[in-house]
Amino acid sequence: MVRRKLYNKLLTHIDKKEFSIITGARQTGKSTLLRQLETHCKELEKPAVFINLENKLLVADLNQSPLNLLRYLPETEERIIVFIDEVQYLDDPSNFLKLLFDEYAGKIKIVATGSSAFYIDTRFRDSLAGRKRLFHLFTCSFDEYLSIAGEALLLQELITINSQPGYKSLKIDLLRMEWEKYMIYGGYPAVAAEPELNEKAALLKEIRDSFIKRDIIESGVQNEVAFYKLFRILATQSGNLVNVNELAATLQIKNETVVNYLNIMQKCFHIALIRPYFRNLRKELTKMQKVYLPDSGLRNCLLNNFQIFTERSDRGEIWENVVFRLLMENNETDEIHYWRTSAGNEVDFILPAQQNPSAIEAKLNTSLINPSKYKLFRSAYPEIPLKFSILNPVNEDFFRNLP
């Protein structure tokens, strides 16, 4: 059974007083993760109950009173772990969790998943402050992708490459092939597990057409056609500035509607918007943001383009988008910025909040690096070292130097 990296973090949090809330886009594996944690608890003979709120009878009962949950729990002196899947289906999930924490935190530990509609609710942020810890489940990283794809030998080879600085791999061509598939089809678990490329594309289209539609319905979007058109435009503009005025004019909808749709897409974890980096915080908050799609497979699906990487005209955009996805592994989105001047000088990513700040520029190969383009940045921010994340050649050092 493949376990995601988030599994161990959740495991260490199970004994904490705070409730554990798992966020993430649909189809990233939240329910599977919950079941694996339940199995672990039962193996250790910890009292555990799994509640799936796709069951409308359960939802109706818990809507009557959060305390009705107690009727589904075993009688025991031990603290009971309650796994709740799809908590957003309750009428007032924030109040449900708040009441149970305030009155029964010593007897009940809740580990819950929920879709975006729940997290848009300001009551979730306000009423659960200090009562919960959020855990974000992304689509798979490359090592998780290899594991789910059944490529155990290549995963071990990747580990060896990263643990031995001078190691030369006999499987580097196979790793390169899998890496290019990963960039084209992304990391949704079901997509990673599917060996046939046509079926990978079909699964991504199912995610696009069925599961994202559920996000649209639950978020109260009125103009579904405009929402999808905006989503496709953003996929074509990955790594570019988001101009709300231009988007509204193109789609013939109000600026406020574009802003609302952008907010929903962020809360659904389908896009990420990053802010510019300035020393002047006021300027930083008033400038345009850049957009990325956290899963390159979904991006390519929206563009209906699954061409192999070497034949694509958007290789640079894909690589920059993948570098952003790699940075998301260890940084909150709010901690990732970009730098740009009115004259067009730009650095793709700035990570200023770290103890060791860094700037990262994504390039397909070293021949595309023009040192003079970065003189202004290096002069303005000498304390932030500039690094280049180079795609080609995809060799041992490439995997060692991934962001």
Side-chain angles (χ1 to χ4, degrees), residues 93-368:
S94 296
N95 181 64
F96 173 85
L97 293 170
K98 180 180 182 296
L99 188 148
L100 289 169
F101 183 91
D102 290 346
E103 306 218 2
Y104 292 95
K107 297 181 179 179
I108 299 172
K109 165 61 181 265
I110 289 180
V111 183
T113 71
S115 80
S116 57
F118 176 32
Y119 306 109
I120 291 173
D121 189 348
T122 55
R123 290 173 298 180
F124 169 75
R125 295 191 294 274
D126 298 339
S127 65
L128 292 177
R131 299 175 174 90
K132 54 77 173 78
R133 181 174 169 191
L134 286 177
F135 294 86
H136 192 137
L137 184 65
F138 297 103
T139 56
C140 297
S141 60
F142 183 56
D143 50 350
E144 290 175 327
Y145 162 87
L146 289 175
S147 183
I148 289 175
E151 298 288 353
L153 293 177
L154 288 183
L155 177 59
Q156 185 55 53
E157 192 73 3
L158 185 66
I159 292 168
T160 303
I161 287 170
N162 283 295
S163 62
Q164 298 182 26
Y167 178 75
K168 298 296 288 183
S169 173
L170 295 174
K171 297 184 174 69
I172 197 67
D173 287 338
L174 294 173
L175 274 171
R176 184 186 303 115
M177 289 170 59
E178 291 302 324
W179 175 259
E180 291 186 358
K181 277 196 282 186
Y182 175 68
M183 287 196 295
I184 298 301
Y185 295 97
Y188 279 96
V191 177
E194 173 54 54
E196 296 295 328
L197 299 186
N198 287 341
E199 285 301 310
K200 285 179 181 288
L203 286 167
L204 282 164
K205 288 173 183 175
E206 176 70 11
I207 290 169
R208 180 195 65 192
D209 297 337
S210 297
F211 294 103
I212 292 176
K213 184 164 186 173
R214 290 177 66 181
D215 286 329
I216 291 172
I217 293 168
E218 290 184 14
S219 301
V221 170
Q222 298 296 315
N223 190 340
E224 186 178 324
V225 173
F227 186 95
Y228 264 114
K229 283 183 179 178
L230 175 60
F231 203 179
R232 290 197 66 192
I233 290 171
L234 295 174
T236 67
Q237 296 180 352
S238 177
N240 291 326
L241 300 179
V242 175
N243 188 320
V244 171
N245 292 332
E246 286 184 3
L247 291 169
T250 299
L251 296 168
Q252 297 185 314
I253 57 178
K254 295 179 180 178
N255 284 28
E256 309 89 81
T257 304
V258 172
V259 171
N260 180 42
Y261 289 176
L262 291 171
N263 183 50
I264 289 169
M265 289 177 194
Q266 285 185 91
K267 297 301 181 184
C268 297
F269 311 104
H270 298 316
I271 67 167
L273 297 174
I274 66 171
R275 292 176 283 125
Y277 179 67
F278 290 98
R279 292 200 192 280
N280 184 320
L281 185 60
R282 224 171 86 188
K283 282 187 180 180
E284 178 185 344
L285 294 174
T286 56
K287 298 290 183 179
M288 283 190 285
Q289 297 172 304
K290 279 174 69 172
V291 64
Y292 292 96
L293 275 70
D295 189 82
S296 57
L298 182 58
R299 173 194 180 272
N300 292 327
C301 183
L302 287 163
L303 301 180
N304 197 27
N305 185 354
F306 294 104
Q307 275 184 296
I308 62 173
F309 187 79
T310 54
E311 294 180 0
R312 298 180 68 110
S313 60
D314 60 350
R315 295 189 301 276
E317 290 87 346
I318 291 177
W319 174 232
E320 184 180 333
N321 203 89
V322 170
V323 170
F324 173 75
R325 169 66 184 83
L326 294 170
L327 292 174
M328 287 180 71
E329 283 289 318
N330 299 308
N331 303 276
E332 295 292 331
T333 304
D334 288 345
E335 298 171 349
I336 306 173
H337 302 259
Y338 74 93
W339 179 79
R340 184 183 176 100
T341 69
S342 57
N345 299 85
E346 186 172 4
V347 174
D348 292 332
F349 305 109
I350 312 291
L351 303 172
Q354 298 178 333
Q355 289 184 343
N356 299 311
S358 63
I360 298 169
E361 181 77 355
K363 293 293 183 187
L364 286 177
N365 54 62
T366 53
S367 68
L368 297 174

Side-chain angles (χ1 to χ4, degrees), residues 20 23 41 51-52 60 68 87 128 152 217 286 318 342 355 383:
S20 307
T23 72
C41 288
I51 293 179
N52 184 351
N68 285 347
V87 72
L128 292 177
I217 293 168
T286 56
I318 291 177
S342 57
Q355 289 184 343
E383 76 283 6

